[in-house]
Amino acid sequence: MGKAKKGIIIVILVALVGGYYFYLSNYNGRNKDNETIVTAVQDVLLRNLDDDYPPTPREVLKYYSDITKCLYNEEYTEDQLEQMADKLLALYDAELAENNPRDQYLIDLKAEVKEFEENGYTIVNYTTSKSTDVEEFTEDGRKCARLYCTYSVKAGANYTSSRQVFILRKETETGRWKILGFELVNPE
């Protein structure tokens, strides 16, 4: 009788473990079917800059670069392109935004993206200055920051780097860091 009890207990335990495994397998399967996959474009567009503005110059540059990667690498609709352009303009200092009226900015951006695509370029990744390498200074009584971003660009089997310096200025009213300007470092 002792061996029979042990056998029954083992069968019951095996059945419980098997049933639990079956439950978990089906449970995870149901969740996977219902998951929504967010594209890189949707991810950058979901950010609400009114409530979730990047807090540091480096974070502003990272968000700017994420949008730039999407513009040059991803597929998107015309409406999404305009939304990404608006996000970029929202990161610009009032002075830079004033020099880039939205309609002309869209025309220029589309032309730049098209040229990039025609040349077969893609942005593989980017690297921003470390937080400790951000140079803060004051100019005309306003707080500014200088930092660098290196974009790794692929064309066919070849890789090149494009290094840019960005100047950001802190808005007096909001305390937000905004891109005042940028340029290539050592352009060829």
Side-chain angles (χ1 to χ4, degrees), residues 18-161:
Y20 187 66
Y21 175 78
F22 179 76
Y23 168 77
L24 287 178
S25 298
N26 286 331
Y27 180 77
N28 286 339
R30 281 191 301 252
N31 280 349
K32 289 179 185 174
D33 292 340
N34 294 332
E35 286 181 5
T36 302
I37 298 173
V38 178
T39 67
V41 172
Q42 291 168 331
D43 189 43
V44 297
L45 292 178
L46 285 172
R47 185 169 196 159
N48 180 341
L49 291 176
D50 292 331
D51 299 330
D52 188 23
Y53 193 86
T56 65
R58 185 170 188 263
E59 291 299 315
V60 170
L61 186 51
K62 285 172 67 175
Y63 183 57
Y64 171 90
S65 296
D66 286 341
I67 296 170
T68 302
K69 271 186 75 172
C70 287
L71 283 167
Y72 293 110
N73 294 358
E74 304 295 331
E75 291 186 23
Y76 45 82
T77 65
E78 181 76 18
D79 185 50
Q80 288 174 321
L81 176 126
E82 290 183 18
Q83 290 176 46
M84 285 188 281
D86 290 338
K87 296 282 186 184
L88 290 174
L89 287 169
L91 297 176
Y92 288 177
D93 184 87
E95 191 176 313
L96 182 58
E98 189 177 298
N99 290 326
N100 288 284
R102 185 179 188 273
D103 292 339
Q104 186 60 48
Y105 184 73
L106 282 171
I107 292 168
D108 295 344
L109 185 60
K110 288 176 189 177
E112 197 174 299
V113 168
K114 183 178 179 182
E115 180 183 345
F116 203 81
E117 185 179 297
E118 287 173 350
N119 289 319
Y121 296 132
T122 56
I123 299 174
V124 179
N125 62 26
Y126 66 87
T127 307
T128 61
S129 297
K130 295 177 184 168
S131 299
T132 55
D133 294 334
V134 175
E135 178 190 336
E136 291 189 19
F137 59 96
T138 303
E139 183 146 331
D140 297 328
R142 303 236 351 237
K143 199 169 187 178
C144 297
R146 177 181 295 113
L147 61 159
Y148 296 86
C149 188
T150 303
Y151 297 92
S152 297
V153 180
K154 181 180 177 188
N158 299 322
Y159 290 86
T160 59
S161 292

